[in-house]
Amino acid sequence: EPEVTQTPSHQVTQMGQEVILRCVPISNHLYFYWYRQILGQKVEFLVSFYNNEISEKSEIFDDQFSVERPDGSNFTLKIRSTKLEDSAMYFCASSTGTGVQPQHFGDGTRLSIL
Amino acid sequence: QKEVEQNSGPLSVPEGAIASLNCTYSDRGSQSFFWYRQYSGKSPELIMFIYSNGDKEDGRFTAQLNKASQYVSLLIRDSQPSDSATYLCAVFIGNSGYALNFGKGTSLLVTP
């Protein structure tokens, strides 16, 4: 069964450094998402991406965050200057297209900011 | 603020019993509802979704939606120890980006 794949599985970064989280969505999917989950808290929406542009973003997704689809397969989340509170699990998800379609999640990247 | 509320649990049921998980939501305009299962340290795994009032069955799982009362539930029949996990209710907010608004989840423990 097709999967969303994320790399790395664990990223440790010094506060203030830039970090890029990578995702390969399911190949025929058109909508891509990033969510995060701080330890012990709920899954929170960050951003959705369709047709090479941001469709929607939450209040969390401020100027420190950016997303990019650099080629036909990868989807990346960049955090420019990491803060301690950015420590969380970051999940990439994808869905087939317009309309309400189920979102399938990758295994996540655990981001630890020191 | 659009809220999705779930009882955090833990909900403990014996093996073979029916587990009933409930979720309420505040936005009457919410359109579609998803149930995900999340094992500790793992990612959310889609179980099923529902967008019409009534029941929807898939194997041992039944989702129930009542838009008038603004609740959605998940029934798990013949519960197994492997069903022990946190169950997340997610609501499609209705914006163009198809963002999901998640509840905090209900922890389910199925005891042998």
Side-chain angles (χ1 to χ4, degrees), chain A residues 6 8-15 17-21 36-39 46 65 77-91 108-114:
Chain A
Q6 291 187 243
S9 57
H10 191 190
Q11 175 81 46
V12 182
T13 301
Q14 292 287 331
M15 186 173 59
Q17 296 296 306
E18 175 183 286
V19 66
I20 297 176
L21 309 182
R36 79 173 186 189
Q37 187 175 30
I38 296 170
L39 187 63
L46 294 178
F65 292 88
L77 174 69
K78 181 193 289 186
I79 309 175
R80 266 180 264 283
S81 179
T82 50
K83 307 181 185 72
L84 293 175
E85 54 266 36
D86 294 327
S87 295
M89 279 290 285
Y90 287 80
F91 296 112
T109 293
R110 179 170 298 284
L111 178 62
S112 300
I113 308 299
L114 304 179

Side-chain angles (χ1 to χ4, degrees), chain B residues 59-78:
Chain B
R60 295 189 296 114
F61 299 96
T62 299
Q64 300 174 319
L65 174 60
N66 184 322
K67 290 187 176 181
S69 300
Q70 294 178 237
Y71 83 79
V72 56
S73 61
L74 180 69
L75 302 179
I76 306 174
R77 288 182 297 282
D78 188 23

Side-chain angles (χ1 to χ4, degrees), chain B residues 38-103:
Chain B
Q38 187 175 33
Y39 293 108
S40 181
K42 301 295 185 182
S43 63
E45 174 191 5
L46 180 70
I47 298 175
M48 61 190 307
F49 62 97
I50 186 168
Y51 49 83
S52 298
N53 273 329
D55 295 0
K56 180 180 178 182
E57 188 174 315
D58 184 359
R60 295 189 296 114
F61 299 96
T62 299
Q64 300 174 319
L65 174 60
N66 184 322
K67 290 187 176 181
S69 300
Q70 294 178 237
Y71 83 79
V72 56
S73 61
L74 180 69
L75 302 179
I76 306 174
R77 288 182 297 282
D78 188 23
S79 296
Q80 301 297 308
S82 57
D83 294 327
S84 299
T86 297
Y87 288 80
L88 309 179
C89 173
V91 177
F92 167 51
I93 300 171
N95 295 331
S96 60
Y98 303 106
L100 292 180
N101 188 9
F102 281 84

Side-chain angles (χ1 to χ4, degrees), chain B residues 3-4 7 19 21 23 25 29 31 36 41 47 51 63 72 76 78 82 90 94 96-97 105 109:
Chain B
E3 300 291 341
V4 178
N7 189 323
L21 304 159
C23 171
Y25 57 95
Q31 299 177 18
Y36 286 83
I47 298 175
Y51 49 83
V72 56
I76 306 174
D78 188 23
S82 57
S96 60
L109 177 63

Side-chain angles (χ1 to χ4, degrees), chain A residues 6 31-33 35 37 41-45 48-49 55-56 89 91 95 97-108 110, chain B residues 1-4 31-32 34 36 38 41-46 49 51 88 92-93 95-105:
Chain A
Q6 291 187 243
Y31 266 90
F32 316 122
Y33 311 83
Y35 291 83
Q37 187 175 30
Q41 298 188 23
K42 71 174 188 175
V43 176
E44 299 175 292
F45 169 75
S48 61
F49 192 86
S55 300
E56 185 180 357
M89 279 290 285
F91 296 112
S95 62
T98 55
V100 181
Q101 300 294 333
Q103 296 177 23
H104 299 270
F105 283 69
D107 288 341
R110 179 170 298 284
Chain B
Q1 180 74 2
K2 299 172 182 177
E3 300 291 341
V4 178
Q31 299 177 18
S32 299
F34 300 80
Y36 286 83
Q38 187 175 33
K42 301 295 185 182
S43 63
E45 174 191 5
L46 180 70
F49 62 97
Y51 49 83
L88 309 179
F92 167 51
I93 300 171
N95 295 331
S96 60
Y98 303 106
L100 292 180
N101 188 9
F102 281 84
K104 292 183 179 179

